[in-house]
Amino acid sequence: MSRLKIQKLSIPVVAAVMLWLKTYIVYKTSFDIKIENIMQELILFINPLSFLLFAFGIAFFFNSEKIRNRYVMATSFILGFILYANIAFYRFFTDFITLPVLFQTSNFADLGDSALTEIHWYDIIYFVDVIILAVFMKYKRKVEEFVPVKKMHQRAYFLVAFALLFLNIGLAETERPQLLTRTFDREMLVKNLGTYNYHLYDVFLQSKSSAQRAMADGSELVDIDNYVRANYVKPNEDMFGIAENRNLIVVSLESVQSFVLNNDVYGEEVTPFLNSFIKDSYYFDNFYHQTGQGKTSDSEFLLENSLYPLNRGAVFFTHSGNEYDSMAENLSKKGYYTSTMHANNKSFWNRDIMYQALGYDYYYSATDYEITPDISVGWGMKDIPFFEQSVEMMKEMQKPFYTKMITLTNHHPFRLDEEDKFIDEYDSKSGTLNRYFQTVRYTDEAVKAFIQKLKDEGLYDNSIIVMYGDHYGISENHNEAMAQYLGKEVTPFVSVQLQRVPFIVHIPGVTDQGKGKTISKVGGQIDLKPTLLHLLGVDTKSSIQFGEDLFSDDHRDFAVFRDGSFITKDYVYTDNTCYSKETEQPVEGSLCEPYKEKARVELDYSDKIIYGDLLRFYESRDYRGNLMEQQQ
Ligand code: GP9
Ligand code: MN
């Protein structure tokens, strides 16, 4: 490039490059972004650039120097300000700003306060590029004549910006598949897409859901409410309130599927503790996970709301500003102290925000635990110390409490330190499946120690301990190895059956000492909320929920997956095929027909509630009364 061309492009390019470098320096100094390899570092380095080239490139469309310079200055300041706002926010919340956070009015007071205390006069340093730019412009104007940029150069410039954008997305996709469709963690979004693109994406998510919300009114609730009322099943009288006023401890067992229970690898039990524990508990062996792309967070959503998660993305991200009638809120009203315990980054799955909507009193996240390298593996803190430290915190909790604990060690890619391997690996072509048994075995050991510690610390007798698997651990990519282990082909029918996860209800004094029972009713995570609330003596007659109390005699054996597959007492419907459970073979489609409508209606109603934020109408007024008035 000749000297002249460089000059023509100079001001917007200089501004973009300065802000680019500033952003990278901020990444490295003001945010705590974990980088695991050189590729991630490279992505982090280039990720602000494409957006900035676009943003400043608009300047070329202005033919007047004055306007162009003003535009560049304004853009530089506004983007710098957004970056700085994130810095101040991060200092306090160790998280990035999202629009819902800014607009959640309940947050606002806290936010304003906290952010102010994190602002210092010397932060002016963060605007050094804007100052340089101002000086530069002043000086340049004196020595140079303004020449608008030629079309060809403009095109070349935007071509470079596009190329960089695609390079960034391409690298991010190889490093973190399904980054956008799954949207799991803000830190990961910022790390891979850059802070500016992340905000654009956040605006997109927010406007989409705001539009859907704005178009909804309470009238849709009438049909839904009628459906839910008509399908309400009465609790079992012997079980209702059986654990009233006890602490409720719910353990989400990461990636634990039912097939590992009462099973072995080369003669060694995979879950020796759970195998005996289920004899001292109510154990549901036909219980299915119903999660979608939101994985663990979807299972939490099902548990808390008895609503289905979405078929795309994670509802924890997309609808964290909604009104919910969560299990935690129901228990709060009954005087419970409510919390979640999970030794991971609190913004993962947008939990820190969503948990406010779900009404937990507290979220014990990574910063509440003492996590050192020797007690960490893979995703973070190992389950054994996690349980150990959690019980210490439980001792201090106000009683009665409800806490949901989320384990982590049995997470893909299922890696362990040597000393934590209690059984041998399985031997198949899938390293994932081979290691899976070992990590499940580790989690089993952790649960064993946990129950013992609850007893030692005097928390056991007055609690009820519930466990469920959050979702599958072994995906269909490992069907061949799975077939080898199971000794049979993984047909679509078997695949559905593999979505069973354990659901265990352990009530000291009631189910222990061998007084447990295996219950084979077909159910799913959608049933958790009514089942548990009824055990604690909380009525759910007026809740909008799609689950049914699994202890109720009237529970209809039924579980529907997010993709529309479903399971009944006798049939499995998946891939447009109806299978008999008895023969495991396809049967006449009409046999599944009556349930198809139920599956469709439930998923559709649940989606309507979430997209339209319909529970806000249910909560705030007697919408039926209002509607009747409107209709008259
Ligand atoms: C992360 C944990 C695991 O906090 O919940 O997430 P997953 O990938 O299983 O949804
Ligand atoms: Mn999980």
Side-chain angles (χ1 to χ4, degrees), residues 216-231 301 305-310 322 324 526 544-547 560 562 596-615 623:
D217 62 57
S219 63
E220 285 122 315
L221 261 182
V222 177
D223 287 346
I224 298 175
D225 193 38
N226 287 340
Y227 176 84
V228 171
R229 292 306 129 239
N231 286 285
F301 186 79
N305 304 303
S306 192
L307 296 174
Y308 295 97
L310 301 178
N322 276 16
Y324 294 106
I526 196 92
I544 298 270
Q545 61 190 17
F546 294 101
V560 56
R562 203 36 267 202
K596 255 185 176 166
E597 183 62 8
K598 181 174 165 67
R600 194 193 60 76
V601 166
E602 288 206 358
L603 293 173
D604 181 50
Y605 280 166
S606 179
D607 285 352
K608 279 206 171 104
I609 292 174
I610 298 167
Y611 287 123
D613 188 8
L614 297 185
L615 294 183
Y623 72 94

Side-chain angles (χ1 to χ4, degrees), residues 474-489:
I474 302 299
S475 73
E476 295 186 354
N477 296 337
H478 307 276
N479 274 356
E480 207 182 306
M482 190 60 119
Q484 180 190 331
Y485 178 75
L486 297 175
K488 63 174 176 186
E489 193 196 338

Side-chain angles (χ1 to χ4, degrees), residues 176 182 184 254-255 293-298 300 342-345 348-349 351 363 379 406-408 411 470-472:
R176 206 66 233 198
R182 283 192 61 195
F184 19 84
E254 176 57 47
S255 302
Q293 290 179 319
K295 307 291 292 286
T296 313
S297 69
D298 279 356
E300 295 177 64
H342 181 45
N344 195 9
N345 173 2
F348 204 100
W349 286 129
R351 285 188 174 104
Y363 175 19
W379 278 59
I406 305 174
T407 63
L408 198 51
H411 194 288
D470 61 350
H471 50 74
Y472 67 78

Side-chain angles (χ1 to χ4, degrees), residues 245-342:
N245 291 327
R246 290 208 200 183
N247 304 316
L248 169 62
I249 302 172
V250 177
V251 182
S252 157
L253 298 170
E254 176 57 47
S255 302
V256 175
Q257 294 174 231
S258 300
F259 79 93
V260 293
L261 271 76
N262 289 323
N263 220 334
D264 69 299
V265 170
Y266 307 123
E268 303 221 55
E269 279 181 289
V270 185
T271 56
F273 177 73
L274 287 178
N275 296 346
S276 72
F277 192 64
I278 58 177
K279 292 194 190 117
D280 292 339
S281 313
Y282 295 119
Y283 170 57
F284 293 85
D285 63 353
N286 266 320
F287 182 85
Y288 293 80
H289 84 82
Q290 295 164 301
T291 60
Q293 290 179 319
K295 307 291 292 286
T296 313
S297 69
D298 279 356
S299 73
E300 295 177 64
F301 186 79
L302 280 145
L303 163 77
E304 283 298 336
N305 304 303
S306 192
L307 296 174
Y308 295 97
L310 301 178
N311 65 358
R312 184 178 173 283
V315 57
F316 261 42
F317 261 97
T318 54
H319 294 84
S320 59
N322 276 16
E323 186 69 47
Y324 294 106
D325 174 31
S326 69
M327 185 158 89
E329 277 171 27
N330 278 270
L331 290 173
S332 278
K333 280 186 207 141
K334 219 177 141 60
Y336 274 70
Y337 174 75
T338 61
S339 68
T340 293
M341 310 186 97
H342 181 45

Side-chain angles (χ1 to χ4, degrees), residues 95 196 200 202 212 243 260 281 316 320 353 377 379 385 412 447 471 518 532 591 603 613 632:
D95 197 357
Y196 308 107
L200 278 185
D202 185 46
Q212 279 162 328
V260 293
S281 313
F316 261 42
S320 59
I353 309 299
V377 71
W379 278 59
H412 186 267
V447 172
H471 50 74
T518 295
L532 299 179
L591 293 168
L603 293 173
D613 188 8
Q632 274 160 14

